[in-house]
Amino acid sequence: MRDLEAIDTVGVVGAGTMGNGIAQVAATAGYDVVMRDIEREYVDSGLENIESSLSRFVEKDDLTESEADDVLDRIEGTTELTDLASCDLVVEAAVENMDVKQDIFADLDSAVDDDVVLATNTSTLSITTIASATDRPELVVGVHFMNPVPVMKGVEVVVGEKTDADVVALAHDFSEALGKETWESDDKPGFVSNRILMPWINEGIRAFDEGVATKEDIDRGMKLGTNVPMGPLELADHIGLDICLDATETLHEELGDRYTPAYLLKRKVDAGDLGKKTGKGFYEYD
């Protein structure tokens, strides 16, 4: 296994919201990054999102234009999995689907050197099951970033059944090298974050659907009453209602009826109103 000092190039599988955010923070921390997705349009869109995000940091004087350009120069976009062969650590950030993730990890197992750690950004799926698709389960670990990655400070390190203790330590050290703070979870459904967060969001949706209060008062009450920056409905819109539904259904399957998805959440997803990314969820967005 390579230690933190031996990591120069980081691979990121997936150029979507989480993937391009992970690529951005890794490049900002000084790492060379290879960001791979299955279609060139997804790669280009990810690179455009990174450029836009960096521009906002420049506007806020958190970065100079020269520093932002340097970050972009450190990121290579590709559709070829073989381009990850030179990476010293790989973070997978593909869709939350076990079959897809196992296929990716089986391919990565052949594509990169035997001592490279393979991390997954999964928010609910079993690290142990993902790792079983490889011949190196001891080198597979959960590194769950929060959204939006360039802004949120937290990273959840998730320990699979066979994850080596040194790999867990590396996951913490690498996350901290990106300027993040970490906490650790065993490989149980939902880990710490979504096991607690998704029922909170789900119950907020139920309260709105059952007429307990308006959506504005539910969100306002939780913000003022518990000092959170967003209420459950607003946060669901920002995460994506489809993502919230997928996570809640996974928890329901694993943990039973206490995680049954709210009817209104299913109805919104079926209608295509997924939140901020589609312009409409519980609220409307430009």
Side-chain angles (χ1 to χ4, degrees):
M1 186 196 85
R2 303 181 190 190
D3 59 20
L4 186 65
E5 288 71 26
I7 296 174
D8 296 315
T9 304
V10 175
V12 179
V13 178
T17 300
M18 298 305 293
N20 70 60
I22 295 166
Q24 178 181 327
V25 297
T28 301
Y31 293 101
D32 291 326
V33 176
V34 180
M35 182 177 70
R36 183 258 182 180
D37 213 314
I38 55 175
E39 299 287 348
R40 188 69 220 184
E41 63 180 296
Y42 302 153
V43 175
D44 291 342
S45 177
L47 291 170
E48 289 171 6
N49 286 338
I50 292 170
E51 186 173 4
S52 177
S53 175
L54 290 170
S55 295
R56 291 192 291 274
F57 280 95
V58 171
E59 290 171 3
K60 294 187 294 183
D61 293 326
D62 292 329
L63 287 174
T64 66
E65 288 190 15
S66 176
E67 288 170 335
D69 289 341
D70 288 342
V71 171
L72 281 172
D73 287 343
R74 284 193 284 271
I75 302 173
E76 172 192 348
T78 183
T79 60
E80 299 298 327
L81 196 74
T82 53
D83 288 339
L84 298 171
S86 63
C87 294
D88 304 301
L89 181 148
V90 179
V91 182
E92 170 273 322
V95 295
E96 281 289 276
N97 178 285
M98 180 59 78
D99 290 339
V100 171
K101 289 187 186 294
Q102 285 195 312
D103 286 346
I104 290 171
F105 271 75
D107 290 340
L108 286 172
D109 201 32
S110 301
V112 302
D113 289 345
D114 292 342
D115 61 344
V116 170
V117 167
L118 304 178
T120 173
N121 183 59
T122 182
S123 58
T124 55
L125 299 177
S126 167
I127 309 302
T128 304
T129 306
I130 293 170
S132 69
T134 75
D135 290 328
R136 64 180 89 191
E138 72 283 357
L139 298 184
V140 177
V141 64
V143 182
H144 177 208
F145 290 82
M146 304 295 116
N147 184 30
V149 179
V151 176
M152 298 293 283
K153 290 295 185 184
V155 171
E156 186 170 47
V157 174
V158 187
V159 184
E161 183 68 25
K162 294 188 176 181
T163 308
D164 189 90
D166 289 339
V167 173
V168 177
L170 175 65
H172 284 285
D173 292 343
F174 173 69
S175 301
E176 290 166 6
L178 303 186
K180 306 301 184 182
E181 297 181 25
T182 61
W183 66 94
E184 191 171 307
S185 173
D186 195 9
D187 187 19
K188 299 292 195 304
F191 318 136
V192 171
S193 54
N194 279 335
R195 189 183 181 108
I196 296 169
L197 178 62
M198 287 305 152
W200 183 73
I201 288 175
N202 202 42
E203 195 58 35
I205 295 170
R206 278 205 190 97
F208 173 51
D209 195 25
E210 293 170 7
V212 174
T214 65
K215 57 181 179 287
E216 292 85 0
D217 277 346
I218 288 170
D219 284 340
R220 180 176 172 82
M222 294 311 299
K223 286 188 284 188
L224 293 177
T226 64
N227 203 32
V228 293
M230 290 186 190
L233 303 177
E234 183 183 6
L235 181 57
D237 275 357
H238 277 71
I239 293 171
L241 303 191
D242 52 337
I243 294 171
C244 291
L245 179 58
D246 285 346
T248 305
E249 286 180 334
T250 298
L251 290 166
H252 180 225
E253 182 179 340
E254 296 286 344
L255 298 173
D257 288 347
R258 58 187 167 138
Y259 288 94
T260 301
Y263 169 72
L264 182 56
L265 176 58
K266 289 184 176 181
R267 192 173 69 191
K268 288 275 189 186
V269 172
D270 287 344
D273 295 335
L274 306 183
K276 193 172 182 181
K277 62 186 175 184
T278 60
K280 183 178 180 182
F282 290 102
Y283 299 91
E284 294 188 3
Y285 304 87
D286 294 330

